Amino acid sequence: MSTTIPSIVGIGANTGYGWGADALWRGVSSGKPAAVLHSGYSENADEDVWLAKVPPGGEAGDSPSRFARAMKGAVREAISDAYARGWEPGRRVGLVHAVVLGDVEDWRDFYHVDNGERRVRDYLRLLPSTPISTLMQEFGFHGPAMNVSATCSSGNVGLITAKMWLDAGIVDDVVCVATDLSLTPENVRHFVRLGAGVVDAEPLDACRPFQEGSRGFAMGEASVGFVVTTSPATGYVDILGGAMSHDAFHVVSVDPDHGQIMRCVRDALADANVRAEDVAYLNAHGPGTKQCDVAETAILSEIFGAARPGVYSVKPLTGHCQGAAAAVEIAAAALGTEAGVVPAAPRVAAGHELLLDGATPMVDGITVKPSLGMGGHNSVVVFAPAG
């Protein structure tokens, strides 16, 4: 079993800010949300709504699907970045894909445009095994390859799975990618009906985690790739530990006693061999919903009261990217670590005393990243600047 701490040594990202990790960093460090107005998504056909969708792009030869092009583009960028930082892949490179709804646009077209009839090769691209299979073929990787799914917590779960594989000696390196391009009109409308998604106002007016006047989350998309390894290379951040738990309470709501969330945070700190008082930042789940604000405020007071870490959320900027949310938020933090800047959203109202206000100079320290997925999926990743 490995006793070496794994590092993220490559990052790729396609987000509402555009294609590439540079676009993500320019966007979040500017403090300007990625969302723009889109038509055809509202209950009212004449009303435009604010969404942070991944724009068209990528390699046309990959697939007609935006989903597949974004996923493959994020992986290729992460691998290219890792090579540039000195990574040499080992004999067993695995791939973990964190994904929840899959390629909803292509499935939608399969039924509504193609009437359920396609050539077999065009049908096969719908299957969740196909994107990871073709990527493994492209790079000649022969480690394990699989999808993981834990609603909004999936990005964290993908990285925790990658670390478990490395710790157990199952692989030498892991490519971890999280993809969610699910903003179809049907999905947008139903999240709005749930009372969680807010698309009728600019993101900073609607999504205000830990601040007065927050109505819920802005909605976004992303595909984010990481190369995770214990091999020598120039890392962005070290993945010190992590943990997962489940509320076993409700299909949407957080358990109001917060017991399993607290256990998950404490288990992650123990796994990382980190004391609460050594934590500098809480990169919050921070969707701007009341129940999540209450839960994470409780984390701050009950676990990190003495440490008083700076708290911030990336969601007002990138939107809530669902299955890729944790991944895009860790990518932003990792890019910020290299730049020496915490990519916090600007404060726009009275809020928690520890809430950071916009891009902030970073102190060298440990970050805790909770993710509170719909249905009770809790996960926490603990990371620090690469040593």
Side-chain angles (χ1 to χ4, degrees):
M1 295 180 67
S2 173
T3 57
T4 306
I5 297 173
S7 300
I8 293 174
V9 302
I11 298 175
N14 300 313
T15 69
Y17 287 114
W19 284 68
D22 286 346
L24 170 62
W25 177 246
R26 288 195 302 271
V28 293
S29 62
S30 75
K32 185 180 186 307
V36 297
L37 287 169
H38 291 267
S39 61
Y41 288 80
S42 175
E43 304 275 6
N44 180 351
D46 296 329
E47 183 182 2
D48 291 342
V49 301
W50 292 92
L51 300 172
K53 289 175 65 75
V54 174
E59 297 292 333
D62 281 341
S63 173
S65 157
R66 216 168 43 99
F67 178 95
R69 293 198 304 271
M71 178 202 174
K72 291 184 176 183
V75 168
R76 291 183 187 126
E77 183 183 21
I79 289 173
S80 177
D81 185 35
Y83 279 135
R85 299 170 75 89
W87 175 61
E88 295 183 6
R91 180 174 60 89
R92 301 163 303 171
V93 181
L95 189 150
V96 179
H97 186 201
V99 60
V100 177
L101 292 175
D103 195 343
V104 293
E105 285 184 345
D106 209 12
W107 276 107
R108 187 174 186 261
D109 287 347
F110 175 62
Y111 286 111
H112 291 280
V113 178
D114 301 330
N115 298 313
E117 292 293 336
R118 281 185 178 177
R119 294 182 303 169
V120 170
R121 63 178 294 178
D122 293 329
Y123 171 76
L124 287 175
R125 74 172 186 248
L126 293 166
L127 304 183
S129 58
T130 297
I132 60 175
S133 175
T134 54
L135 280 168
M136 296 296 277
Q137 293 171 47
E138 179 176 340
F139 291 100
F141 294 156
H142 298 286
M146 69 181 209
N147 297 307
V148 298
S149 187
T151 62
C152 318
S153 195
S154 297
N156 266 3
V157 169
L159 277 174
I160 292 168
T161 301
K163 184 178 185 300
M164 289 192 295
W165 284 1
L166 289 162
D167 289 347
I170 295 170
V171 295
D172 302 300
D173 318 275
V174 186
V175 175
C176 181
V177 57
T179 308
D180 198 301
L181 275 72
S182 63
L183 294 187
T184 62
E186 298 85 356
N187 284 332
V188 170
R189 290 168 191 161
H190 279 84
F191 272 102
V192 171
R193 290 170 189 170
L194 275 170
V198 183
V199 297
D200 63 352
E202 292 192 48
L204 294 179
D205 290 335
C207 180
R208 301 176 174 184
F210 306 98
Q211 299 168 79
E212 294 177 2
S214 188
R215 295 170 53 203
F217 55 76
M219 301 187 69
E221 296 179 330
S223 185
V224 178
F226 301 112
V227 174
V228 187
T229 187
T230 57
S231 302
T234 302
Y236 289 94
V237 293
D238 292 337
I239 305 298
L240 304 181
M244 298 176 282
S245 72
H246 199 280
D247 281 358
F249 173 73
H250 193 271
V251 296
V252 177
S253 299
V254 169
D255 188 342
D257 78 3
H258 305 143
Q260 298 309 314
I261 293 172
M262 297 298 178
R263 178 171 71 84
C264 191
V265 176
R266 292 190 172 100
D267 285 352
L269 293 172
D271 184 62
N273 196 27
V274 165
R275 302 178 306 165
E277 52 265 38
D278 294 330
V279 172
Y281 298 106
L282 187 76
N283 180 339
H285 180 60
T289 61
K290 182 177 180 180
Q291 63 176 349
C292 286
D293 273 3
V294 169
E296 292 190 288
T297 298
I299 292 171
L300 284 168
S301 61
E302 294 182 29
I303 297 178
F304 298 113
R308 297 180 60 80
V311 61
Y312 67 101
S313 171
V314 178
K315 283 185 175 70
L317 302 175
T318 61
H320 189 341
C321 299
Q322 306 297 329
V328 74
E329 292 153 21
I330 289 174
L335 294 167
T337 298
E338 185 135 293
V341 175
V342 181
R347 293 179 64 146
V348 294
H352 196 284
E353 61 179 335
L354 298 179
L355 182 65
L356 300 180
D357 184 9
T360 304
M362 179 180 287
V363 299
D364 193 15
I366 293 167
T367 296
V368 169
K369 171 62 196 168
S371 191
L372 312 180
M374 180 180 289
H377 295 273
N378 308 311
S379 64
V380 177
V381 171
V382 182
F383 58 92

